[in-house]
Amino acid sequence: DQQVKQNSPSLSVQEGRISILNCDYTNSMFDYFLWYKKYPAEGPTFLTSISSIKDKNEDGRFTVFLNKSAKHLSLHIVPSQPGDSAVYFCAASAQSGGGADGLTFGKGTHLIIQP
Amino acid sequence: DAMVIQNPRYQVTQFGKPVTLSCSQTLNHNVMYWYQQKSSQAPKLLFHYYDKDFNNEADTPDNFQSRRPNTSFCFLDIRSPGLGDAAMYLCATSRSGLATDTQYFGPGTRLTVL
């Protein structure tokens, strides 16, 4: 009954190319989506986010696309750099629920940038 | 300049022996969260504090308790650890708890249950 799914445990991309990480969700109440990046032996750090009122959010090399009808979002990294090698977590929240709710995470995708 | 500190980084306990994990923050944030992440699984929210108000997730086992004696510190108590409680435990903070407020995570405590 995973509400946030990242179906690719790992992804290998050549340096300089585009990395595309995918995420699907099932809960229609989710209206805010986030991507976190995690290096080994460190906690996850916030990368970027998108509200459900948008379908795209660009932030430098990172762009998030949201397709609400398909309940799908993706993170594009262009161009990919060696420092991008990390585990990427997709997370979701229902803002309309109010209060200090936590995040619902996916299992993560390990991105490996090949030189 | 660490902002969310978790001690210890690695904790080994015996089956059934109570254990306490610690989290402290220098951000003066109102909200503190505890997540459990088992191997190859998604981090899962256990509970959170908004200031002194405790909020338990519906499916968090009674075996897990938490204390927040002041703004800076939050503790996770596992009263009788089982083998299934072996996991990484992540502490996070947020200024107001809104989804748009960034959650800042500590490095985690890896718990091993023998």
Side-chain angles (χ1 to χ4, degrees), chain B residues 2-114:
Chain B
M3 296 184 290
V4 182
I5 302 157
Q6 291 190 243
N7 286 309
R9 295 291 305 274
Y10 300 90
Q11 176 73 58
V12 180
T13 191
Q14 289 183 331
F15 182 94
K17 185 174 181 181
V19 66
T20 295
L21 308 183
S22 170
C23 177
S24 63
Q25 54 135 340
T26 60
L27 297 162
N28 203 35
H29 281 174
N30 289 315
V31 190
M32 295 187 78
Y33 305 86
W34 280 103
Y35 290 86
Q36 177 194 60
Q37 186 185 13
K38 296 185 178 181
S39 180
S40 301
Q41 299 297 311
K44 180 180 179 300
L45 181 67
L46 293 174
F47 28 57
H48 73 268
Y49 271 95
Y50 188 103
D51 196 9
K52 295 181 180 179
D53 293 332
F54 178 71
N55 297 270
N56 201 27
E57 292 299 296
D59 56 356
T60 298
D62 292 339
N63 198 25
F64 292 84
Q65 304 286 322
S66 185
R67 296 170 284 135
R68 189 178 185 187
N70 53 54
T71 301
S72 301
F73 284 87
C74 195
F75 300 99
L76 170 61
D77 300 309
I78 308 177
R79 293 192 297 190
S80 182
L83 298 178
D85 297 328
M88 176 71 81
Y89 290 87
L90 295 163
C91 174
T93 74
S94 165
R95 185 174 55 84
S96 69
L98 295 174
T100 49
D101 281 345
T102 299
Q103 286 194 23
Y104 294 86
F105 283 82
T109 294
R110 183 167 295 283
L111 178 68
T112 300
V113 182
L114 301 177

Side-chain angles (χ1 to χ4, degrees), chain A residues 36-45 82-89 109-112, chain B residues 9-10 37 88 90 106-108 110:
Chain A
Y36 276 78
K37 178 178 179 180
K38 184 183 181 306
Y39 291 119
E42 295 183 12
T45 55
D84 296 331
S85 295
V87 176
Y88 289 79
F89 289 100
T109 296
H110 185 193
L111 176 64
I112 302 161
Chain B
R9 295 291 305 274
Y10 300 90
Q37 186 185 13
M88 176 71 81
L90 295 163
R110 183 167 295 283

